[in-house]
Amino acid sequence: MIPFLSLKDITAKYASEIHEAVLRVVDSGWYLLGKEIGSFETNYANYIGTKYCIGVANGLDALTLIFRAYKELGVLKDGDEVIVPANTYIASILAITENNLVPVLVEPRFETLEIDDELIESKITVRTKAIMIVHLYGRCAYTEKIGELCKKYNLKLVEDNAQAHGCRFAEKRTGSIGDAAGHSFYPGKNLGALGDAGAVTTNDEVLVQTIRSLANYGSSKKYVFEYCGRNSRLDEIQAAVLNVKLKYLEEDNKLRQKVAAYYYDNIKNPNIKFPLRLPDTSNVYHLFPVFCKRRDDLQKYLTEQTVQTIIHYPIPPHKQNCYKEWNEISLPITDKIAREELSLPISPVMSDDDVYRIVSVLNDVI
Ligand SMILES: *Cc1c(COP(=O)(O)O)cnc(C)c1O
């Protein structure tokens, strides 16, 4: 079987450094809020190009804490609307609804898979206070038009950068473009921990203080509680692992780009379509989505040929039971993506032979 993603191989590539880093923490006797998280926050902020980075427990917490902090700061209040792409992973939407804010689902462009910036302005109302862009599949979702709309309507721009560590818009990295960004280091992401981990990046010092307090039970002074906060920490072992893997992120993203280039240049099957090809600066290929009208048959065939694939995502948020009130909304592009998308294996540890074989299997199928 060619696996969709071998986490085992990804870890094995840096095994000796990772083992050393983990053991260093184990032997130190210090497991939370120590040196490793301090250095990871500095390293990651430098990498992304923001003044601050706050390590938190996971990507959903990162996004949820950003909105919660804006509420505590009076920037947002219950019932305010947040524009968000309709085809995103559920976590982006949960971060909004958990805060009693209202997601306004906007269709993506089928060609780019990212939020259609031409559709945003007509969705802006007096209650709209923020836009959340999601750099889905590793592709940059930011456009100058989105920046202009944020200025024109005085909206906060929040980035969900869970899938695009290292991606750029011009000189800036995604995660440094908006007012704040949430990152996930779930093991399968481009920069993955060996468990759950996440971070917020921003240049806003007041936001940082508020998020740090909210993530620490609502306290910035021992035993004094300003907010009804929560506990959301990125632990020392995960931070130590991330400090190792961050050094190789650029190199690993280049290897993903190499696989992607081979797919783009060599898959010639007319029944298989690609999203618009972006320059490598704007796509770090967290996933490699293709489209096929007979997607389920294609997936079945690939499985028979021992190629594992995954659909991102088979049921969009508006069709989920947890958001029953949206089940009847018409979002045809989002539905089409859910019907036709199939993600091919892509990772920094795929062998050339596996890539060649996937291409030849795809070119043979009718
Ligand atoms: C993975 C992911 C998240 C959530 O991250 P976790 O660390 O799993 O909580 C949020 N948004 C997107 C787009 C993701 O892919």
Side-chain angles (χ1 to χ4, degrees):
M1 193 69 167
I2 300 179
F4 180 72
L5 177 67
S6 170
L7 290 176
K8 194 172 170 181
D9 290 350
I10 286 182
T11 305
K13 190 171 170 193
Y14 306 116
S16 62
E17 267 189 272
I18 290 174
H19 290 173
E20 196 208 319
V22 170
L23 273 181
R24 189 171 65 235
V25 177
V26 171
D27 292 342
S28 77
W30 195 285
Y31 308 119
L32 285 166
L33 305 179
K35 280 191 216 134
E36 297 291 341
I37 183 68
S39 69
F40 177 69
E41 286 177 344
T42 305
N43 294 341
Y44 196 65
N46 287 341
Y47 177 77
I48 293 294
T50 51
K51 276 198 214 147
Y52 308 104
C53 166
I54 312 155
V56 296
N58 56 63
L60 174 59
D61 273 10
L63 295 167
T64 306
L65 284 163
I66 292 169
F67 289 110
R68 174 78 192 275
Y70 278 135
K71 286 186 77 186
E72 297 296 347
L73 292 168
V75 175
L76 298 176
K77 58 178 186 321
D78 281 6
D80 281 349
E81 293 171 4
V82 179
I83 286 179
V84 63
N87 60 322
T88 189
Y89 180 59
I90 198 85
S92 325
I93 315 254
L94 288 172
I96 300 171
T97 55
E98 269 198 30
N99 279 295
N100 290 322
L101 301 165
V102 178
V104 176
L105 305 177
V106 173
E107 288 260 72
R109 278 199 190 98
F110 188 69
E111 297 69 35
T112 65
L113 302 171
E114 306 302 335
I115 191 165
D116 186 345
D117 58 4
E118 295 291 332
L119 300 179
I120 294 176
E121 194 161 17
S122 67
K123 299 281 190 176
I124 294 174
T125 73
V126 288
R127 311 215 74 164
T128 309
K129 295 291 155 53
I131 298 178
M132 170 155 40
I133 52 172
V134 185
H135 306 293
L136 276 168
Y137 303 95
R139 306 167 63 94
C140 176
Y142 181 77
T143 64
E144 262 153 24
K145 174 147 193 156
I146 292 173
E148 283 158 18
L149 288 170
C150 287
K151 267 210 195 92
K152 182 169 169 192
Y153 294 96
N154 194 25
L155 309 176
K156 290 289 177 194
L157 181 61
V158 176
E159 294 173 78
D160 179 341
N161 200 43
Q163 300 191 358
H165 318 132
C167 182
R168 286 174 193 269
F169 177 85
E171 292 305 302
K172 283 191 169 177
R173 295 232 192 250
T174 58
S176 73
I177 301 166
D179 295 287
H183 308 252
S184 163
F185 308 119
Y186 173 84
K189 304 288 158 103
N190 289 35
L191 176 59
L194 303 185
D196 277 316
V200 174
T201 54
T202 181
N203 291 320
D204 182 339
E205 192 184 343
V206 179
L207 189 72
V208 168
Q209 287 165 355
T210 313
I211 290 176
R212 282 206 187 281
S213 169
L214 284 168
N216 181 43
Y217 315 99
S219 168
S220 42
K221 195 172 154 209
K222 202 160 190 179
Y223 303 130
V224 178
F225 301 94
E226 184 83 10
Y227 311 107
C228 298
R230 59 208 282 166
N231 171 10
S232 186
R233 295 187 282 234
L234 198 173
D235 68 74
E236 287 289 289
I237 289 180
Q238 298 307 337
V241 171
L242 290 168
N243 274 325
V244 171
K245 291 183 76 182
L246 179 58
K247 292 189 289 179
Y248 303 105
L249 178 59
E250 284 291 288
E251 194 179 311
D252 282 347
N253 281 345
K254 286 206 176 76
L255 292 168
R256 288 174 181 273
Q257 288 161 343
K258 209 176 132 215
V259 175
Y262 194 81
Y263 283 152
Y264 268 116
D265 293 339
N266 295 285
I267 297 172
K268 303 284 185 199
N269 187 326
N271 296 320
I272 296 170
K273 304 268 189 283
F274 302 103
L276 190 76
R277 188 171 178 177
L278 297 175
D280 279 351
T281 45
S282 300
N283 196 345
V284 291
Y285 296 98
H286 173 57
L287 297 168
F288 194 89
V290 297
F291 295 91
C292 181
K293 294 254 185 260
R294 291 171 50 206
R295 189 266 317 273
D296 294 344
D297 292 341
L298 178 66
Q299 184 174 39
K300 193 163 162 267
Y301 178 75
L302 286 168
T303 308
E304 284 160 14
Q305 298 297 314
T306 71
V307 177
Q308 191 189 14
T309 57
I310 297 183
I311 298 163
H312 294 92
Y313 299 93
I315 309 171
H318 74 283
K319 295 282 196 218
Q320 298 288 352
N321 280 337
C322 63
Y323 292 125
K324 272 207 176 62
E325 64 275 26
W326 302 336
N327 286 177
E328 302 308 316
I329 303 181
S330 163
L331 293 161
I333 308 288
T334 300
D335 290 339
K336 184 175 159 74
I337 292 170
R339 235 175 15 246
E340 297 183 8
E341 195 274 350
L342 191 66
S343 298
L344 303 181
I346 190 161
S347 84
V349 293
M350 279 178 82
S351 72
D352 289 349
D353 283 348
D354 284 354
V355 181
Y356 302 155
R357 198 164 80 74
I358 291 167
V359 170
S360 92
V361 170
L362 285 170
N363 284 341
D364 285 345
V365 65
I366 10 141

PDB file of all heavy atoms in Angstrom, residues 94-116:
ATOM      1  N   LEU A  94     -16.255  26.237  14.069  1.00  0.00           N
ATOM      2  CA  LEU A  94     -16.476  26.012  15.507  1.00  0.00           C
ATOM      3  C   LEU A  94     -15.901  27.158  16.334  1.00  0.00           C
ATOM      4  O   LEU A  94     -16.487  27.569  17.341  1.00  0.00           O
ATOM      5  CB  LEU A  94     -15.824  24.695  15.949  1.00  0.00           C
ATOM      6  CG  LEU A  94     -16.517  23.411  15.486  1.00  0.00           C
ATOM      7  CD1 LEU A  94     -15.650  22.201  15.824  1.00  0.00           C
ATOM      8  CD2 LEU A  94     -17.905  23.277  16.099  1.00  0.00           C
ATOM      9  N   ALA A  95     -14.743  27.672  15.912  1.00  0.00           N
ATOM     10  CA  ALA A  95     -14.105  28.763  16.661  1.00  0.00           C
ATOM     11  C   ALA A  95     -15.013  29.987  16.696  1.00  0.00           C
ATOM     12  O   ALA A  95     -15.001  30.759  17.660  1.00  0.00           O
ATOM     13  CB  ALA A  95     -12.764  29.118  16.022  1.00  0.00           C
ATOM     14  N   ILE A  96     -15.812  30.159  15.656  1.00  0.00           N
ATOM     15  CA  ILE A  96     -16.733  31.304  15.577  1.00  0.00           C
ATOM     16  C   ILE A  96     -17.978  31.033  16.420  1.00  0.00           C
ATOM     17  O   ILE A  96     -18.352  31.842  17.273  1.00  0.00           O
ATOM     18  CB  ILE A  96     -17.115  31.573  14.098  1.00  0.00           C
ATOM     19  CG1 ILE A  96     -15.856  31.877  13.278  1.00  0.00           C
ATOM     20  CG2 ILE A  96     -18.131  32.702  13.992  1.00  0.00           C
ATOM     21  CD1 ILE A  96     -16.076  31.939  11.776  1.00  0.00           C
ATOM     22  N   THR A  97     -18.602  29.880  16.205  1.00  0.00           N
ATOM     23  CA  THR A  97     -19.874  29.615  16.897  1.00  0.00           C
ATOM     24  C   THR A  97     -19.664  29.409  18.400  1.00  0.00           C
ATOM     25  O   THR A  97     -20.528  29.777  19.189  1.00  0.00           O
ATOM     26  CB  THR A  97     -20.627  28.414  16.285  1.00  0.00           C
ATOM     27  OG1 THR A  97     -19.791  27.256  16.274  1.00  0.00           O
ATOM     28  CG2 THR A  97     -21.070  28.724  14.869  1.00  0.00           C
ATOM     29  N   GLU A  98     -18.521  28.854  18.794  1.00  0.00           N
ATOM     30  CA  GLU A  98     -18.239  28.692  20.230  1.00  0.00           C
ATOM     31  C   GLU A  98     -18.245  30.026  20.957  1.00  0.00           C
ATOM     32  O   GLU A  98     -18.428  30.076  22.168  1.00  0.00           O
ATOM     33  CB  GLU A  98     -16.841  28.084  20.424  1.00  0.00           C
ATOM     34  CG  GLU A  98     -16.857  26.594  20.475  1.00  0.00           C
ATOM     35  CD  GLU A  98     -15.585  26.023  21.093  1.00  0.00           C
ATOM     36  OE1 GLU A  98     -14.951  26.683  21.966  1.00  0.00           O
ATOM     37  OE2 GLU A  98     -15.244  24.916  20.693  1.00  0.00           O
ATOM     38  N   ASN A  99     -17.978  31.084  20.230  1.00  0.00           N
ATOM     39  CA  ASN A  99     -17.918  32.417  20.831  1.00  0.00           C
ATOM     40  C   ASN A  99     -19.215  33.201  20.651  1.00  0.00           C
ATOM     41  O   ASN A  99     -19.214  34.427  20.811  1.00  0.00           O
ATOM     42  CB  ASN A  99     -16.750  33.203  20.223  1.00  0.00           C
ATOM     43  CG  ASN A  99     -15.421  32.831  20.868  1.00  0.00           C
ATOM     44  OD1 ASN A  99     -15.227  33.074  22.047  1.00  0.00           O
ATOM     45  ND2 ASN A  99     -14.537  32.216  20.107  1.00  0.00           N
ATOM     46  N   ASN A 100     -20.304  32.485  20.289  1.00  0.00           N
ATOM     47  CA  ASN A 100     -21.594  33.168  20.040  1.00  0.00           C
ATOM     48  C   ASN A 100     -21.496  34.223  18.959  1.00  0.00           C
ATOM     49  O   ASN A 100     -22.176  35.251  19.003  1.00  0.00           O
ATOM     50  CB  ASN A 100     -22.146  33.814  21.312  1.00  0.00           C
ATOM     51  CG  ASN A 100     -22.601  32.781  22.303  1.00  0.00           C
ATOM     52  OD1 ASN A 100     -23.155  31.752  21.908  1.00  0.00           O
ATOM     53  ND2 ASN A 100     -22.337  33.024  23.576  1.00  0.00           N
ATOM     54  N   LEU A 101     -20.627  33.988  18.008  1.00  0.00           N
ATOM     55  CA  LEU A 101     -20.537  34.844  16.828  1.00  0.00           C
ATOM     56  C   LEU A 101     -21.208  34.090  15.686  1.00  0.00           C
ATOM     57  O   LEU A 101     -21.435  32.880  15.784  1.00  0.00           O
ATOM     58  CB  LEU A 101     -19.075  35.154  16.504  1.00  0.00           C
ATOM     59  CG  LEU A 101     -18.305  35.855  17.635  1.00  0.00           C
ATOM     60  CD1 LEU A 101     -16.805  35.795  17.382  1.00  0.00           C
ATOM     61  CD2 LEU A 101     -18.775  37.306  17.791  1.00  0.00           C
ATOM     62  N   VAL A 102     -21.531  34.806  14.610  1.00  0.00           N
ATOM     63  CA  VAL A 102     -22.305  34.188  13.533  1.00  0.00           C
ATOM     64  C   VAL A 102     -21.432  34.026  12.283  1.00  0.00           C
ATOM     65  O   VAL A 102     -21.013  35.025  11.690  1.00  0.00           O
ATOM     66  CB  VAL A 102     -23.540  35.059  13.198  1.00  0.00           C
ATOM     67  CG1 VAL A 102     -24.338  34.455  12.045  1.00  0.00           C
ATOM     68  CG2 VAL A 102     -24.402  35.237  14.443  1.00  0.00           C
ATOM     69  N   PRO A 103     -21.157  32.792  11.872  1.00  0.00           N
ATOM     70  CA  PRO A 103     -20.395  32.601  10.638  1.00  0.00           C
ATOM     71  C   PRO A 103     -21.266  32.935   9.433  1.00  0.00           C
ATOM     72  O   PRO A 103     -22.431  32.545   9.379  1.00  0.00           O
ATOM     73  CB  PRO A 103     -20.077  31.096  10.623  1.00  0.00           C
ATOM     74  CG  PRO A 103     -20.559  30.554  11.922  1.00  0.00           C
ATOM     75  CD  PRO A 103     -21.547  31.515  12.490  1.00  0.00           C
ATOM     76  N   VAL A 104     -20.710  33.671   8.499  1.00  0.00           N
ATOM     77  CA  VAL A 104     -21.394  33.939   7.237  1.00  0.00           C
ATOM     78  C   VAL A 104     -20.604  33.184   6.169  1.00  0.00           C
ATOM     79  O   VAL A 104     -19.454  33.530   5.876  1.00  0.00           O
ATOM     80  CB  VAL A 104     -21.446  35.448   6.946  1.00  0.00           C
ATOM     81  CG1 VAL A 104     -22.069  35.715   5.583  1.00  0.00           C
ATOM     82  CG2 VAL A 104     -22.229  36.156   8.048  1.00  0.00           C
ATOM     83  N   LEU A 105     -21.233  32.131   5.652  1.00  0.00           N
ATOM     84  CA  LEU A 105     -20.514  31.229   4.750  1.00  0.00           C
ATOM     85  C   LEU A 105     -20.440  31.817   3.350  1.00  0.00           C
ATOM     86  O   LEU A 105     -21.462  32.175   2.771  1.00  0.00           O
ATOM     87  CB  LEU A 105     -21.230  29.877   4.696  1.00  0.00           C
ATOM     88  CG  LEU A 105     -21.461  29.184   6.045  1.00  0.00           C
ATOM     89  CD1 LEU A 105     -22.252  27.879   5.849  1.00  0.00           C
ATOM     90  CD2 LEU A 105     -20.143  28.905   6.756  1.00  0.00           C
ATOM     91  N   VAL A 106     -19.232  31.915   2.838  1.00  0.00           N
ATOM     92  CA  VAL A 106     -19.027  32.451   1.485  1.00  0.00           C
ATOM     93  C   VAL A 106     -18.392  31.364   0.623  1.00  0.00           C
ATOM     94  O   VAL A 106     -17.460  30.670   1.059  1.00  0.00           O
ATOM     95  CB  VAL A 106     -18.148  33.726   1.518  1.00  0.00           C
ATOM     96  CG1 VAL A 106     -17.783  34.180   0.115  1.00  0.00           C
ATOM     97  CG2 VAL A 106     -18.872  34.845   2.261  1.00  0.00           C
ATOM     98  N   GLU A 107     -18.905  31.228  -0.581  1.00  0.00           N
ATOM     99  CA  GLU A 107     -18.416  30.200  -1.496  1.00  0.00           C
ATOM    100  C   GLU A 107     -16.959  30.437  -1.919  1.00  0.00           C
ATOM    101  O   GLU A 107     -16.530  31.590  -2.078  1.00  0.00           O
ATOM    102  CB  GLU A 107     -19.277  30.198  -2.762  1.00  0.00           C
ATOM    103  CG  GLU A 107     -20.658  29.630  -2.547  1.00  0.00           C
ATOM    104  CD  GLU A 107     -20.780  28.191  -3.020  1.00  0.00           C
ATOM    105  OE1 GLU A 107     -20.215  27.291  -2.348  1.00  0.00           O
ATOM    106  OE2 GLU A 107     -21.439  27.977  -4.037  1.00  0.00           O
ATOM    107  N   PRO A 108     -16.242  29.344  -2.154  1.00  0.00           N
ATOM    108  CA  PRO A 108     -14.902  29.474  -2.743  1.00  0.00           C
ATOM    109  C   PRO A 108     -15.022  29.564  -4.263  1.00  0.00           C
ATOM    110  O   PRO A 108     -16.100  29.345  -4.819  1.00  0.00           O
ATOM    111  CB  PRO A 108     -14.253  28.145  -2.378  1.00  0.00           C
ATOM    112  CG  PRO A 108     -15.394  27.178  -2.368  1.00  0.00           C
ATOM    113  CD  PRO A 108     -16.597  27.944  -1.874  1.00  0.00           C
ATOM    114  N   ARG A 109     -13.905  29.879  -4.923  1.00  0.00           N
ATOM    115  CA  ARG A 109     -13.830  29.685  -6.375  1.00  0.00           C
ATOM    116  C   ARG A 109     -13.426  28.236  -6.604  1.00  0.00           C
ATOM    117  O   ARG A 109     -12.498  27.755  -5.943  1.00  0.00           O
ATOM    118  CB  ARG A 109     -12.710  30.553  -6.972  1.00  0.00           C
ATOM    119  CG  ARG A 109     -13.112  31.961  -7.218  1.00  0.00           C
ATOM    120  CD  ARG A 109     -12.144  32.633  -8.212  1.00  0.00           C
ATOM    121  NE  ARG A 109     -12.448  34.046  -8.220  1.00  0.00           N
ATOM    122  CZ  ARG A 109     -11.767  34.953  -7.512  1.00  0.00           C
ATOM    123  NH1 ARG A 109     -10.728  34.596  -6.792  1.00  0.00           N
ATOM    124  NH2 ARG A 109     -12.127  36.212  -7.544  1.00  0.00           N
ATOM    125  N   PHE A 110     -14.073  27.596  -7.538  1.00  0.00           N
ATOM    126  CA  PHE A 110     -13.731  26.195  -7.806  1.00  0.00           C
ATOM    127  C   PHE A 110     -12.285  26.077  -8.286  1.00  0.00           C
ATOM    128  O   PHE A 110     -11.580  25.131  -7.939  1.00  0.00           O
ATOM    129  CB  PHE A 110     -14.700  25.605  -8.851  1.00  0.00           C
ATOM    130  CG  PHE A 110     -14.522  24.127  -9.033  1.00  0.00           C
ATOM    131  CD1 PHE A 110     -14.872  23.244  -8.023  1.00  0.00           C
ATOM    132  CD2 PHE A 110     -13.985  23.619 -10.208  1.00  0.00           C
ATOM    133  CE1 PHE A 110     -14.689  21.878  -8.181  1.00  0.00           C
ATOM    134  CE2 PHE A 110     -13.801  22.247 -10.376  1.00  0.00           C
ATOM    135  CZ  PHE A 110     -14.153  21.381  -9.356  1.00  0.00           C
ATOM    136  N   GLU A 111     -11.828  27.074  -9.044  1.00  0.00           N
ATOM    137  CA  GLU A 111     -10.477  27.020  -9.624  1.00  0.00           C
ATOM    138  C   GLU A 111      -9.379  27.153  -8.574  1.00  0.00           C
ATOM    139  O   GLU A 111      -8.284  26.627  -8.750  1.00  0.00           O
ATOM    140  CB  GLU A 111     -10.269  28.154 -10.645  1.00  0.00           C
ATOM    141  CG  GLU A 111     -11.168  28.108 -11.866  1.00  0.00           C
ATOM    142  CD  GLU A 111     -12.641  28.391 -11.544  1.00  0.00           C
ATOM    143  OE1 GLU A 111     -12.916  29.225 -10.650  1.00  0.00           O
ATOM    144  OE2 GLU A 111     -13.505  27.749 -12.168  1.00  0.00           O
ATOM    145  N   THR A 112      -9.660  27.903  -7.512  1.00  0.00           N
ATOM    146  CA  THR A 112      -8.598  28.138  -6.522  1.00  0.00           C
ATOM    147  C   THR A 112      -8.855  27.388  -5.221  1.00  0.00           C
ATOM    148  O   THR A 112      -7.934  27.210  -4.424  1.00  0.00           O
ATOM    149  CB  THR A 112      -8.497  29.637  -6.154  1.00  0.00           C
ATOM    150  OG1 THR A 112      -9.703  30.018  -5.491  1.00  0.00           O
ATOM    151  CG2 THR A 112      -8.275  30.499  -7.380  1.00  0.00           C
ATOM    152  N   LEU A 113     -10.107  27.025  -4.977  1.00  0.00           N
ATOM    153  CA  LEU A 113     -10.551  26.375  -3.732  1.00  0.00           C
ATOM    154  C   LEU A 113     -10.574  27.326  -2.544  1.00  0.00           C
ATOM    155  O   LEU A 113     -10.930  26.938  -1.437  1.00  0.00           O
ATOM    156  CB  LEU A 113      -9.666  25.164  -3.371  1.00  0.00           C
ATOM    157  CG  LEU A 113      -9.602  24.076  -4.427  1.00  0.00           C
ATOM    158  CD1 LEU A 113      -8.544  23.040  -4.064  1.00  0.00           C
ATOM    159  CD2 LEU A 113     -10.957  23.432  -4.572  1.00  0.00           C
ATOM    160  N   GLU A 114     -10.172  28.572  -2.773  1.00  0.00           N
ATOM    161  CA  GLU A 114     -10.128  29.545  -1.677  1.00  0.00           C
ATOM    162  C   GLU A 114     -11.318  30.490  -1.786  1.00  0.00           C
ATOM    163  O   GLU A 114     -11.930  30.613  -2.848  1.00  0.00           O
ATOM    164  CB  GLU A 114      -8.807  30.327  -1.713  1.00  0.00           C
ATOM    165  CG  GLU A 114      -7.548  29.461  -1.722  1.00  0.00           C
ATOM    166  CD  GLU A 114      -7.421  28.511  -0.534  1.00  0.00           C
ATOM    167  OE1 GLU A 114      -7.994  28.799   0.532  1.00  0.00           O
ATOM    168  OE2 GLU A 114      -6.754  27.463  -0.682  1.00  0.00           O
ATOM    169  N   ILE A 115     -11.623  31.166  -0.697  1.00  0.00           N
ATOM    170  CA  ILE A 115     -12.795  32.057  -0.640  1.00  0.00           C
ATOM    171  C   ILE A 115     -12.818  32.990  -1.852  1.00  0.00           C
ATOM    172  O   ILE A 115     -11.779  33.535  -2.246  1.00  0.00           O
ATOM    173  CB  ILE A 115     -12.813  32.844   0.698  1.00  0.00           C
ATOM    174  CG1 ILE A 115     -14.161  33.559   0.897  1.00  0.00           C
ATOM    175  CG2 ILE A 115     -11.650  33.828   0.785  1.00  0.00           C
ATOM    176  CD1 ILE A 115     -14.375  34.053   2.333  1.00  0.00           C
ATOM    177  N   ASP A 116     -13.989  33.148  -2.457  1.00  0.00           N
ATOM    178  CA  ASP A 116     -14.138  33.990  -3.644  1.00  0.00           C
ATOM    179  C   ASP A 116     -14.260  35.448  -3.202  1.00  0.00           C
ATOM    180  O   ASP A 116     -15.296  35.869  -2.697  1.00  0.00           O
ATOM    181  CB  ASP A 116     -15.386  33.547  -4.423  1.00  0.00           C
ATOM    182  CG  ASP A 116     -15.516  34.281  -5.751  1.00  0.00           C
ATOM    183  OD1 ASP A 116     -14.834  35.313  -5.939  1.00  0.00           O
ATOM    184  OD2 ASP A 116     -16.303  33.822  -6.590  1.00  0.00           O
TER     185      ASP A 116
END
